[in-house]
Amino acid sequence: MDSFSEQCLDMARSMLSHNLDSINPDGTITPVEGEDSRLDESGHAALAIGEFYRATGETELDGKDLIDLAARCITAQAFRDPPQENGLAYAALGLLSFGPSKERNPVWERLVDETREHLDRLLLNRSDYNNHWQAFNIAKAVCRFSLGLSKKDETGRLIERFLSRIQETSSNGYFDDVDEEGIGGSFSLYGVMSFVFIRQALQLHSNPGLRDRKLPSLRTFAEKYIKLLPDLVREDGLGWSFSNNGGAYGQMHLISLLMQGFRDGWVPEDKKSKYFDLLRRLFYNFYVTFLDQEHGYLVVRDEERTAYPKHTTRLANFDGARYLSQWSRLSKQIDAPPAAAPEPFKSGCRFVIFDKSNKKEQGLLLYRNVDSGLQLQMPLISSNGTPTADCLPFPHSPGVFDWPNNSYLPIMVPELTVGENVFVPAYYGKKCTTGLGFKRSFYFRYEQPEFINTEEKIVPGLGTVKVNWTFAGNQISCEFIYTVKNQITLDRFRYVLAIGSPHSRYRVDSCPMLGAEGLRCTVQKDDFQGTWKETEVVTNDRNYRTNYGNLHYLQILERDHPLIMRPGQTYRFAASFDPDIIAVGETE
């Protein structure tokens, strides 16, 4: 792992070199042109510098004093108005990275008394959170106790509270990044991020006994995500692709989780070769897809792709440098398994249950067909009341089945507008089942006993919908069966297909993409009598970008005049797909 460690460190050094100049004399961060700065970026910068120091022991980079820069960033974060608890947590771990004791911490020595006192008060004050922000409370408690600012250690209690809430909101032990809005069940990438961040905080805790006591509890839940990876990671190394905060972070969080798992012995001995191959694929995809290898910095948005708006270029680069430094350090503690031929991928389909209760069922469908290279992730989860295509239950497979990042379109699911309500068969289900169908096919079925709108409000008394997806090799078919309980007027029906492509430069040669024949979509049944509109060209529209490449066309099936839907009658919409899939390398 020595060569991997050096490679990560070289990239971290380059990434920091390109971004340290953005740190202003007062510790704030200058954004790249065309972007706005986030109020927590100084904290992210401080932790990136701290992780680099932990990995190298160096206090200078390109003639710049890293101790002074870290102190400036921590000071700026401490005096942010309004206070940013997330940025403060990153800054706290950044401070702790330079030493677990005030007496031997060079950054603490650079802080003036006013900053030290203010930091002490901020670390003490905290709000109680039900979402991933609770991980930030844990980091603040670790810093406060480890630096000797408090004799009472609240870390253990906060971790137990974090884990107990997982059990309250998920019947199967997955992290729900719950929000006040929505139906509940936002099982997004923030779950992985939370475990990675908490584990990193525990490693910096001055009491190794507490760390050893809490690791088994953390492992119980974090292990569930590790066990997802063999079916989640695509052959070209693509990681977590659904939910709007994927992209580069969908690679980085998974790599960190895996490396922490290797370090802590969470990967079974007989599975190490398999998971090591997944780690290699994840890293190579990250390296090729998001790193400008000529200049040595992270590219998350450009003329062909975009990223979650909260993931600014500066933030992503500081986080990238932090993770690369972390990987460099962790790799020295990991023994690579003996060289062995990678375990071949197997075709299959499974539905991972995130939550199952009387109120709702949610989860993630994972399907892979080895012969065609088709692999997809289909989430049935909440989007926290903010409609985007990222969390809709359709086959997510960048390059084949694409969607606009952080934008709403009813991609591959019917959209019914009734008055002020816009309904989609998403966010929750009941009676979710998977199984084997005819001719070695797989099916995934669920139903919604009540319609739910795009704001994730259930509107009782209108109607029900039953959903049936079938996967047979490269062919996918879907059927949506609607019934209404009372007569209603359907004002509009929409069904949208998005045609995109991988990035023209930042892509892996084995990445799948559509060939000349496209999705080969056939509408088999349409009781809504929609008509295909003229294909909308969106190549130059920045509102239609993915995390991985560009969208070029929108194909919209629409009925824009009223339809009276009557009780006792079923309304079906069915479509099938046989996508023409080729590898990017075949086009060159």
Side-chain angles (χ1 to χ4, degrees):
M1 297 289 286
D2 289 343
S3 60
F4 176 76
S5 176
E6 290 301 320
Q7 183 184 17
C8 289
L9 207 53
D10 287 344
M11 287 190 287
R13 184 176 279 108
S14 175
M15 215 169 283
L16 276 179
S17 296
H18 279 94
N19 288 276
L20 289 181
D21 285 336
S22 69
I23 301 176
N24 299 315
D26 63 354
T28 58
I29 308 298
T30 299
V32 300
E33 186 177 353
E35 293 184 12
D36 296 323
S37 182
R38 274 178 48 157
L39 295 177
D40 62 340
E41 285 180 343
S42 296
H44 285 257
L47 183 52
I49 296 170
E51 273 291 349
F52 182 76
Y53 174 80
R54 287 182 72 192
T56 64
E58 298 175 12
T59 57
E60 283 192 5
L61 180 62
D62 295 342
K64 297 181 178 65
D65 185 346
L66 296 181
I67 306 296
D68 182 65
L69 288 175
R72 291 175 185 271
C73 289
I74 291 169
T75 300
Q77 194 63 67
F79 287 97
R80 274 296 191 184
D81 188 22
Q84 304 293 307
E85 289 197 61
N86 52 348
L88 186 63
Y90 281 92
L93 293 189
L95 174 60
L96 209 52
S97 298
F98 288 88
S101 167
K102 289 186 295 185
E103 291 72 23
R104 297 188 301 274
N105 189 309
V107 173
W108 180 265
E109 294 176 359
R110 297 280 182 99
L111 301 178
V112 299
D113 290 341
E114 181 186 3
T115 301
R116 294 176 182 177
E117 293 170 3
H118 189 59
L119 197 58
D120 185 12
R121 290 194 296 271
L122 288 173
L123 292 175
L124 175 62
N125 296 328
R126 65 178 66 94
S127 301
D128 191 26
Y129 296 104
N130 293 325
N131 55 19
H132 71 277
W133 280 55
Q134 189 69 4
F136 303 142
N137 279 339
I138 294 170
K140 289 159 61 180
V142 168
C143 181
R144 194 163 191 270
F145 177 79
S146 297
L147 286 179
L149 301 177
S150 171
K151 293 182 179 180
K152 181 182 179 182
D153 187 7
E154 296 182 276
T155 306
R157 181 177 60 83
L158 290 172
I159 289 176
E160 290 304 320
R161 183 183 299 173
F162 174 84
L163 297 178
S164 68
R165 286 175 177 166
I166 292 179
Q167 295 172 302
E168 293 170 6
T169 56
S170 168
S171 62
N172 213 18
Y174 288 91
F175 180 78
D176 176 8
D177 194 45
V178 66
D179 196 290
E180 292 181 0
E181 303 295 329
I183 193 174
S186 178
F187 297 98
S188 68
L189 187 59
Y190 280 123
V192 179
M193 186 222 78
S194 299
F195 285 111
V196 169
F197 194 74
I198 292 170
R199 181 63 189 91
Q200 185 177 7
L202 276 180
Q203 195 66 20
L204 290 168
H205 201 289
S206 60
N207 180 4
L210 175 83
R211 178 173 68 236
D212 294 340
R213 290 195 302 273
K214 293 304 172 187
L215 279 184
S217 299
L218 280 176
R219 176 178 182 171
T220 300
F221 298 93
E223 234 179 8
K224 293 180 180 292
Y225 289 96
I226 293 177
K227 290 178 179 178
L228 270 181
L229 299 186
D231 293 325
L232 182 82
V233 177
R234 204 164 67 177
E235 188 175 356
D236 65 339
L238 177 74
W240 193 295
S241 61
F242 69 93
S243 72
N244 52 12
N245 55 347
Y249 285 85
Q251 303 297 120
M252 294 192 293
H253 291 329
L254 294 187
I255 294 170
S256 287
L257 180 71
L258 253 185
M259 295 198 73
Q260 288 176 344
F262 274 117
R263 188 263 317 274
D264 294 331
W266 294 356
V267 178
E269 195 67 34
D270 61 335
K271 300 287 186 183
K272 279 191 174 181
S273 294
K274 179 179 183 177
Y275 281 94
F276 203 79
D277 180 59
L278 291 175
L279 176 63
R280 180 186 62 81
R281 292 174 187 271
L282 283 165
F283 179 79
Y284 182 72
N285 185 285
F286 167 73
Y287 180 80
V288 174
T289 307
F290 296 104
L291 189 72
D292 186 315
Q293 298 166 36
E294 180 181 352
H295 300 98
Y297 51 77
L298 209 60
V299 180
V300 293
R301 57 172 59 82
D302 55 28
E303 66 282 356
E304 293 185 45
R305 65 179 169 194
T306 188
Y308 187 38
K310 293 182 179 180
H311 293 164
T312 67
T313 298
R314 292 293 184 213
L315 188 83
N317 272 268
F318 282 123
D319 284 348
R322 164 172 61 96
Y323 271 138
L324 286 162
S325 299
Q326 182 191 63
W327 302 341
S328 173
R329 179 172 48 79
L330 287 174
S331 63
K332 295 177 181 179
Q333 305 171 45
I334 298 171
D335 293 326
E343 187 175 322
F345 289 106
K346 297 179 182 178
S347 297
C349 178
R350 72 175 176 126
F351 183 65
V352 181
I353 298 173
F354 289 156
D355 184 38
K356 186 174 183 178
S357 65
N358 293 329
K359 176 185 176 184
K360 60 183 175 64
E361 296 176 25
Q362 294 167 312
L364 173 66
L365 184 87
L366 299 170
Y367 174 76
R368 171 187 279 126
N369 178 251
V370 173
D371 295 333
S372 67
L374 177 63
Q375 184 174 349
L376 55 90
Q377 304 168 13
M378 185 187 295
L380 184 59
I381 60 174
S382 166
S383 188
N384 276 337
T386 302
T388 69
D390 304 274
C391 294
L392 291 180
F394 66 88
H396 292 246
S397 185
V400 182
F401 297 108
D402 281 304
W403 67 97
N405 173 257
N406 207 54
S407 297
Y408 170 75
L409 277 177
I411 303 292
M412 297 179 72
V413 293
E415 175 196 80
L416 277 61
T417 301
V418 179
E420 296 180 352
N421 287 300
V422 179
F423 299 108
V424 286
Y427 311 124
Y428 87 103
K430 297 294 292 287
K431 300 181 181 179
C432 297
T433 56
T434 54
L436 286 170
F438 295 112
K439 298 180 180 179
R440 300 177 64 185
S441 66
F442 299 92
Y443 64 80
F444 170 52
R445 299 167 184 162
Y446 66 92
E447 62 182 64
Q448 292 184 339
E450 301 287 355
F451 287 172
I452 185 170
N453 63 25
T454 53
E455 296 176 352
E456 299 184 29
K457 307 293 185 185
I458 290 178
V459 181
L462 283 186
T464 66
V465 58
K466 295 181 179 180
V467 181
N468 181 19
W469 287 88
T470 303
F471 308 91
N474 194 56
Q475 297 179 343
I476 299 175
S477 61
C478 58
E479 183 181 38
F480 303 86
I481 306 172
Y482 290 86
T483 58
V484 294
K485 300 175 181 179
N486 297 290
Q487 180 172 304
I488 63 172
T489 301
L490 174 69
D491 298 306
R492 186 191 191 197
F493 167 87
R494 269 201 314 171
Y495 185 80
V496 180
L497 303 178
I499 309 299
S501 65
H503 200 283
S504 61
R505 177 184 173 192
Y506 299 107
R507 77 262 184 101
V508 179
D509 283 345
S510 59
C511 170
M513 65 178 292
L514 289 175
E517 297 184 34
L519 292 175
R520 292 190 286 223
C521 172
T522 301
V523 176
Q524 298 167 320
K525 182 73 173 176
D526 180 14
D527 288 336
F528 299 98
Q529 301 175 2
T531 56
W532 288 105
K533 302 296 182 181
E534 184 176 347
T535 299
E536 190 173 338
V537 181
V538 294
T539 302
N540 298 318
D541 191 335
R542 290 190 173 273
N543 293 315
Y544 298 102
R545 298 280 192 271
T546 79
N547 282 324
Y548 311 96
N550 202 359
L551 289 184
H552 300 293
Y553 307 104
L554 296 179
Q555 297 176 326
I556 304 173
L557 182 68
E558 183 176 7
R559 178 191 177 105
D560 55 8
H561 54 281
L563 171 69
I564 304 299
M565 298 180 68
R566 295 180 171 83
Q569 185 174 344
T570 59
Y571 298 84
R572 297 174 183 264
F573 179 84
S576 65
F577 304 87
D578 185 11
D580 177 20
I581 301 176
I582 60 174
V584 165
E586 297 177 21
T587 65
E588 298 175 350

